[in-house]
């Protein structure tokens, strides 16, 4: 989904928001439908993995970028409300999927989900419409990918995704270790989605109050500290629930605020391509981060029944994301002078 956004940005510029989003809805539908007939792991990798990722990229990139074209004064709030949908969807789909899996099995669950995505995403895509015309000749992809501001935002996205999923994966594991039921442990993901839904809207108000770069830098430094402290010191379900809600809310700043920052830098006509390039960095972070987290946990934490190494990994990644935005603030203050950029 993230890596494919680097191509869906230019595709959206050329063909428009509606055709790309509708193509994504159909692709996601077909991928889950085909996955329901899979009998081997490689078939699931190709269908639910690769094919669904391509379809999701066609939906994700236009959806996040479109709002910036239709709002100026209230752009932060509009973007926050738009991306809050994925947080709410996470809560609904997680619960619905668990219930369907236990009642109708995984094959019919995949078929039901494919129809839901086709109806919801397809209906929404029908209303997508471009407002700002694409510049003659299109966006200069080569100059954009070299822009130091986008490089910094991309690196921050890389650091975020290297460590972002640690609470999502390992808080439920921590809950199981203190004697909680599997259902209670899985509910922590619902709490994070709930916090994320509210946080994506709240991040918009925070961006208006203290500035986009300031708010996202502060959010990730706080997230880094929370992960380190809670994963190491807290051994209660109440603490895990509090972390889930707060972490879900603060970490959502990345999804809400980055489109605002990139729109400010590259304009409403270039934000789709800029988002695609930034998501390319994020995709590398995911591919490196998730397997690395698993290897670190298995090697250093699981034998000692702890979360020390994985907590440090999360702290470093999230802190570097926050520091990246502080450096972006410095670059913005001093301009894009090459001499300044070379010293950073």
């Amino acid at each position: 989904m993230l890596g494919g956004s680097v191509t869906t940005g230019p595709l959206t510029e050329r063909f428009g928001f509606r055709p790309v989003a509708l193509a994504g809805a159909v692709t996601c539908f077909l991928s889950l439908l085909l996955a329901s007939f899979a009998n081997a792991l490689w078939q699931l990798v190709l269908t639910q993995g690769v094919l669904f990722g391509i379809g999701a990229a066609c939906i994700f990139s236009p959806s996040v970028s479109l709002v910036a074209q239709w709002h100026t004064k209230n752009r932060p709030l509009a973007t926050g409300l738009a991306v809050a949908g994925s947080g709410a969807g996470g809560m609904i789909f997680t619960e619905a999927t668990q219930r369907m899996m236990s009642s109708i099995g995984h094959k019919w669950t995949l078929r039901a989900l494919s129809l839901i995505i086709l109806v919801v995403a397809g209906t929404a895509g029908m209303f997508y419409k471009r407002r700002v015309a694409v510049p003659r000749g299109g966006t200069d992809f080569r100059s954009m990918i070299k822009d130091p501001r986008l490089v910094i935002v991309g690196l921050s996205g890389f650091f975020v995704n290297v460590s972002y999923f640690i609470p999502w994966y390992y808080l439920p594991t921590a809950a199981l270790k203190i004697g909680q039921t599997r259902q209670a442990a899985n509910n922590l993901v619902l709490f994070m989605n709930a916090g994320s839904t509210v946080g994506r809207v709240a991040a918009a108000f925070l961006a208006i109050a203290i500035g986009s770069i300031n708010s996202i830098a502060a959010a990730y430094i706080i997230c880094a500290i929370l992960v380190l402290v809670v994963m190491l010191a807290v051994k209660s379900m109440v603490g895990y629930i509090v972390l889930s809600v707060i972490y879900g809310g603060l970490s959502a700043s990345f999804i809400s605020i980055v489109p605002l920052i990139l729109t400010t830098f590259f304009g409403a006509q270039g934000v789709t391509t800029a988002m695609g390039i930034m998501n390319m960095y994020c995709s590398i972070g995911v591919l490196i981060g998730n397997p690395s987290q698993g290897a670190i946990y298995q090697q250093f934490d699981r034998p000692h029944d702890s979360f020390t190494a994985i907590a440090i990994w999360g702290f470093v990644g999230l802190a570097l994301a926050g520091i990246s935005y502080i450096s972006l603030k410095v670059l913005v203050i001093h301009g894009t002078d090459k001499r300044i950029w070379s010293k950073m």
Side-chain angles (χ1 to χ4, degrees):
M1 181 186 76
L2 294 170
S5 295
V6 75
T7 59
T8 55
L11 285 173
T12 302
E13 284 192 4
R14 180 170 182 179
F15 298 107
F17 288 86
R18 185 181 301 161
V20 174
L22 290 176
V26 173
T27 303
C28 286
F29 163 74
L30 291 174
S31 67
L32 294 185
L33 184 63
L34 291 172
S36 71
F37 295 99
N39 295 308
L41 179 60
W42 68 267
Q43 296 170 348
L44 286 174
V45 170
L46 291 179
T47 53
Q48 190 173 354
V50 176
L51 188 60
F52 185 87
I54 293 171
C58 292
I59 297 174
F60 176 72
S61 184
S63 299
V64 173
S65 307
L66 180 62
V67 179
Q69 293 210 342
W70 287 91
H71 298 270
T72 52
K73 180 181 178 180
N74 297 313
R75 182 175 290 160
L77 179 58
T79 303
L81 289 171
V83 298
S86 57
M91 287 190 295
I92 296 170
F93 269 67
T94 299
E95 183 65 20
T97 301
Q98 289 179 356
R99 289 178 179 271
M100 285 191 289
M101 287 278 286
S102 61
S103 59
I104 60 175
H106 78 277
K107 290 183 179 293
W108 279 104
T109 297
L110 286 169
R111 292 162 193 166
L113 291 174
S114 70
L115 286 172
I116 293 171
I117 290 175
L118 179 65
V119 172
V120 175
T123 302
M126 291 295 294
F127 293 93
Y128 285 18
K129 183 180 179 181
R130 185 194 306 277
R131 185 186 181 204
V132 180
V134 178
R136 182 172 296 180
T139 302
D140 190 347
F141 184 88
R142 291 185 179 181
S143 64
M144 187 178 289
I145 201 171
K146 297 177 183 177
D147 191 298
R149 299 167 299 179
L150 186 52
V151 171
I152 293 176
V153 175
L155 285 174
S156 178
F158 168 81
F159 290 130
V160 167
N161 284 280
V162 161
S163 51
Y164 171 78
F165 293 101
I166 286 175
W168 294 81
Y169 292 152
Y170 295 99
L171 268 186
T173 303
L176 290 174
K177 286 185 177 295
I178 62 172
Q180 296 295 318
T181 65
R182 185 168 297 276
Q183 181 62 49
N186 289 336
N187 284 341
L188 291 173
V189 176
L190 294 178
F191 286 121
M192 273 186 273
N193 275 314
S196 179
T197 302
V198 176
R200 295 177 194 207
V201 180
F205 291 101
L206 190 61
I208 295 171
I210 67 173
S212 298
I213 298 177
N214 295 336
S215 61
I216 195 170
Y220 277 105
I221 290 175
I222 294 172
C223 281
I225 297 171
L226 282 173
V227 168
L228 184 65
V229 171
V230 176
M231 294 294 290
L232 294 183
V234 174
K235 303 295 181 183
S236 70
M237 194 61 179
V238 173
Y240 294 152
I241 291 173
V242 171
L243 174 62
S244 298
V245 174
I246 296 176
Y247 182 84
L250 290 177
S251 62
S253 298
F254 185 76
I255 301 174
S256 298
I257 297 177
V258 168
L260 304 177
I261 295 173
L262 295 181
T263 303
T264 301
F265 290 155
F266 303 105
Q269 72 280 1
V271 66
T272 306
T273 299
M275 283 291 297
I277 295 171
M278 186 275 299
N279 283 327
M280 177 181 64
Y281 285 89
C282 294
S283 69
I284 298 171
V286 171
L287 289 174
I288 293 175
N290 289 354
S292 298
Q293 293 162 25
I296 289 170
Y297 178 74
Q298 293 291 342
Q299 179 70 26
F300 299 104
D301 286 338
R302 191 168 188 176
H304 305 288
D305 199 26
S306 72
F307 295 94
T308 304
I310 204 72
I312 294 173
W313 177 274
F315 172 80
V316 172
L318 293 168
L320 286 174
I323 293 170
S324 297
Y325 278 104
I326 294 174
S327 68
L328 179 62
K329 184 73 174 183
V330 173
L331 185 64
V332 170
I333 291 173
H334 292 283
T336 55
D337 189 282
K338 291 182 179 179
R339 292 171 296 178
I340 296 173
W341 167 244
S342 65
K343 296 176 183 178
M344 297 180 64

